[in-house]
Amino acid sequence: MKHFSTSRRVLATVALLASAALSPSAHAQVLYGSVVGTLEDPSGAAIPSVNLVLTNTATGKIYEDKTDGTGRYAIGNVIPGTYDFKASAPGFKTQTRTGLTVTANTVSRVDLMMQVGALTEEVTVSADATQLQTDKSDSHTELNAKQIANIPLPGYRNYQSLINLVPGATPAAFQNSATDSPGRSLATNINGTNKNNNTTRIDGAASVNLWLPHHAGYVMPAEMVDVVNVTTTAADAEQGMSGGAAVTVLTKSGTNEFRGSAFWYHDNQHLKARNYFQPVGVQQPLSIYNNYGGTIGGPIVKNKLFFFYSFDGTKQRSGATATYSVPTADIRTGNFSAYSQPIYDPATGDPVTGLGRTQFAGNIIPTSRITPQGAKLLSYFPQPNLTGAVSNFFAGATPKFDRDYNDVKINYNRTTNHSIYFRWGRMGALVGGVGAFGDAIGGAPGSDPGLGDTKVKNMSVGHTWTISPNLILDGVIGYQRQDQVVRGTDFGKDFRSVLGIPGIGGDDPRQQGFPNVSFNGYTGFGVPGWMPLERIEQNYTMSHNLSVIKGSHEMRFGFDGTNYRMNHWQPELGAGPRGSINFTGGTTSIGSFNQYNSIASTLLGLPYQYQKSIQYILMTPREFQFGIYARDRWQVNKKLTVNLGLRWEYYPLMTRAGGKGIERLDAETNQVFMGGRGNVPVSNGMTTSKRLFAPRVGIAYRLNDKTVLRTGYGISYDPLPFSRPLRGFYPLTVNF
């Protein structure tokens, strides 16, 4: 596995001026902001020991500090929000800066020139609406609640639509079906990196769909989102385990004022323009979309304890139509006399090459040669309702999409120096459609022929503790769980005796249902091979950080760890658990063949391929990802800030539940060795690198109040979970 670990490395180059070199970013916790600056008198001399008070205007939360001997200060771990900044010192007028915005993963600079006067005199100014990025070299985009609320959001009002505004992003798009991913997470490539390398954290909790890692596991509803920070290049050392974009989602919190909202978005077919090509007089297909809900938040105890709750519900019914190909009545009985394609008798000629076969008399298969299984299979086709030999069956359906979100957040200012938060969210969804061929399923207009029942929970609890003005400790523990069951509409129906085909189905209800039958030139039977499935996925997150401020140095040290667990039953490799039968038509042809030959082969009971998959062992990947770092933000002087850091990351070899390891194929002997079984060690002879060091360097130089030059360099590593590529190959799943 050393070669795999080596491939994680993504080297960046030195960037120029306002751009940054690297494309790592934040799988680590970046939940807070900072306020830094320098205080001087009118002559430009530094003012030491100035009393500083930073007050959150919404919650009353207070941060206190003093300038050092050089007039500098740094207030770290500031909860995002709007603040009043007050500076006071004997011999100078008290100065207040109002409306200062502090956001996550940013450094806000407030430099003041204090005026000589009495302490009781006060000068108040408003903060600038636009703040330069003065002390960090990363490239990031910030999306706030106002933008998310006011900018039109397509695709189920998904905040991820706005990631299209991030420089270097390709247009975000759905990747998988709604049945499989009802959260409707959007996937995008950032700066040319693989979409699997993007990571999302919600209030510090990792949110990864392990089987579909290009998806966030929990897509926070728009009304609950406060700030989205998307870091794409030159991140500080505390940000890692990402090779593309690091998306940090902060949710709304309660304040000292009660506030709430209610919303309802409605759309239907009567509000849509008629398709230009739709015949006049034909009704618009059914299309009803309702997204509704509300929020409420406020104080439980003023300045102390707050709550915020959000509900978001979606009900959608979108009528869809499709055209399928079904065999006509004559060929279902073996009568191909009306068609020029010759049907050859497979009982004649060379049994291997087919040479020398003779055509059935009159191009009609004798009744005595038709198998009861073949005739039974074809009886499940509906009769054509359109003219023609193909594209002759029109069907319509209305898939179901029902989804609800419930999210709640509690903030507790335990003391003036210790703040705690807790957030819990749950999404529940029932999504799917119905096949057009009844018991034989077939295609499902506008959806998948099955119902997906998905539940996702995401929670986090965190704190920040100001031990002293120069020593701050913070941490977060996060958890996410997805429970998903997807089943075809024929789940549990046993067709073994009905069809009389040996080997299909089984005693396990998950193996039962109509087999997957494909016909060359005609629409097939059954459900997609990835159904049915049962998935449980879990993400555990733990991050702890210590900030130390000493003179011109703001140092930060920390640990970041995730644990991914997966329990899957989904024998989709190969033919699936019900069995698969493929009728190409080659057995009734010489050389070329078409859809008529495939129906003839069906009647004769001669498939081209006949297979089935059995999952013997539950897919149970277990894996950790670790990172530790040290970072120093050094205010060299009034104009220059240097960020220096070093990360070390470790991706241990994936294991399986019960102390078992992964499997390894010996290509020379064609044997598969199973880690942790028999005398095979758990490691199975494989290792991962322990030398994944990632230096980070960033420089920010302030030319003046309106111009900052920034540059950076760094290394990052691809965090793609091993669980994705190594979930469950042979012998966990065996295809016969």
Side-chain angles (χ1 to χ4, degrees), residues 6 361 382 657:
T6 302

Side-chain angles (χ1 to χ4, degrees), residues 239-262:
Q239 298 180 273
M241 297 182 185
S242 178
V247 181
T248 300
V249 179
L250 299 183
T251 57
K252 292 178 180 177
S253 301
T255 66
N256 277 324
E257 293 185 0
F258 281 101
R259 55 176 173 156
S261 66

Side-chain angles (χ1 to χ4, degrees), residues 10 66-67 78 85 108 130 170 186 235 242 247 288 299-300 338 404 406 429 453 458 560 599 607 620 644 726 728:
V10 181
K66 285 188 177 183
T67 58
V78 179
F85 179 81
S108 300
T130 302
T170 60
L186 299 173
S242 178
V247 181
I288 301 175
I300 300 174
D404 291 334
N406 285 276
D453 184 356
N458 182 285
D560 190 29
I599 297 302
T620 58
L644 301 171
L726 302 179

Side-chain angles (χ1 to χ4, degrees), residues 22-42:
L22 174 69
S23 60
S25 292
H27 197 61
Q29 173 181 256
V30 284
L31 303 180
Y32 307 102
S34 302
V35 181
V36 303
T38 304
L39 273 63
E40 300 175 337
D41 63 19

Side-chain angles (χ1 to χ4, degrees), residues 367-665:
T367 304
S368 61
R369 296 284 300 277
I370 296 176
T371 63
Q373 292 94 334
K376 186 64 177 180
L377 273 178
L378 295 184
S379 71
Y380 282 92
F381 274 115
Q383 293 296 327
N385 55 19
L386 299 175
T387 60
V390 294
S391 299
N392 53 7
F393 182 77
F394 177 85
T398 304
K400 172 188 285 191
F401 187 98
D402 293 344
R403 187 183 71 186
D404 291 334
Y405 280 93
N406 285 276
D407 293 274
V408 64
K409 188 174 184 180
I410 303 295
N411 293 82
Y412 177 39
N413 295 331
R414 191 178 70 85
T415 67
T416 56
N417 295 328
H418 193 203
S419 299
I420 303 171
Y421 73 87
F422 168 79
R423 183 196 52 78
W424 176 89
R426 179 189 184 276
M427 182 207 79
L430 284 172
V431 179
V434 178
F437 293 172
D439 282 345
I441 310 299
S447 185
D448 297 307
L451 187 66
D453 184 356
T454 305
K455 299 176 180 64
V456 182
K457 300 173 186 176
N458 182 285
M459 61 167 288
S460 58
V461 57
H463 79 109
T464 178
W465 178 24
T466 304
I467 301 171
S468 72
N470 298 324
L471 191 63
I472 304 172
L473 179 69
D474 67 79
V476 64
I477 296 174
Y479 176 70
Q480 177 176 292
R481 177 179 173 123
Q482 173 182 275
D483 292 83
Q484 185 176 52
V485 176
V486 179
R487 294 172 174 172
T489 53
D490 60 347
F491 180 82
K493 294 181 181 179
D494 194 345
F495 287 90
R496 287 179 290 182
S497 60
V498 176
L499 295 177
I501 300 175
I504 65 170
D507 295 332
D508 188 334
R510 297 175 297 183
Q511 295 176 312
Q512 297 171 3
F514 212 91
N516 292 304
V517 186
S518 60
F519 307 89
N520 178 22
Y522 292 105
T523 305
F525 295 149
V527 298
W530 54 271
M531 291 184 189
L533 63 84
E534 296 176 3
R535 297 173 180 164
I536 297 175
E537 296 182 3
Q538 299 176 87
N539 301 182
Y540 295 87
T541 309
M542 179 178 288
S543 296
H544 296 286
N545 306 276
L546 181 67
S547 297
V548 180
I549 301 171
K550 188 171 183 180
S552 60
H553 296 270
E554 181 191 347
M555 294 170 286
R556 192 161 166 85
F557 311 89
F559 163 84
D560 190 29
T562 56
N563 176 229
Y564 297 130
R565 294 169 175 256
M566 176 189 287
N567 292 317
H568 279 199
W569 186 92
Q570 189 182 6
E572 62 178 334
L573 297 177
R578 301 155 170 240
S580 173
I581 308 169
N582 183 357
F583 294 98
T584 63
T587 56
T588 61
S589 68
I590 300 177
S592 63
F593 49 85
N594 61 17
Q595 73 268 20
Y596 302 114
N597 297 105
S598 72
I599 297 302
S601 294
T602 304
L603 290 169
L604 294 168
L606 298 174
Y608 166 73
Q609 195 174 56
Y610 187 97
Q611 55 182 323
K612 183 179 180 180
S613 295
I614 301 293
Q615 182 174 328
Y616 287 99
I617 303 172
L618 191 67
M619 303 169 186
T620 58
R622 303 287 189 264
E623 63 182 298
F624 287 90
Q625 297 183 352
F626 298 115
I628 59 174
Y629 73 90
R631 187 266 294 162
D632 181 12
R633 181 171 293 126
W634 177 24
Q635 294 186 52
V636 180
N637 54 45
K638 227 176 121 174
K639 291 183 174 290
L640 178 64
T641 299
V642 176
N643 293 281
L644 301 171
L646 179 66
R647 284 188 66 85
W648 176 76
E649 294 181 1
Y650 179 46
Y651 300 83
L653 188 67
M654 189 192 89
T655 61
R656 300 198 187 276
K660 303 297 189 293
I662 58 177
E663 303 72 39
R664 177 176 60 86
L665 170 67

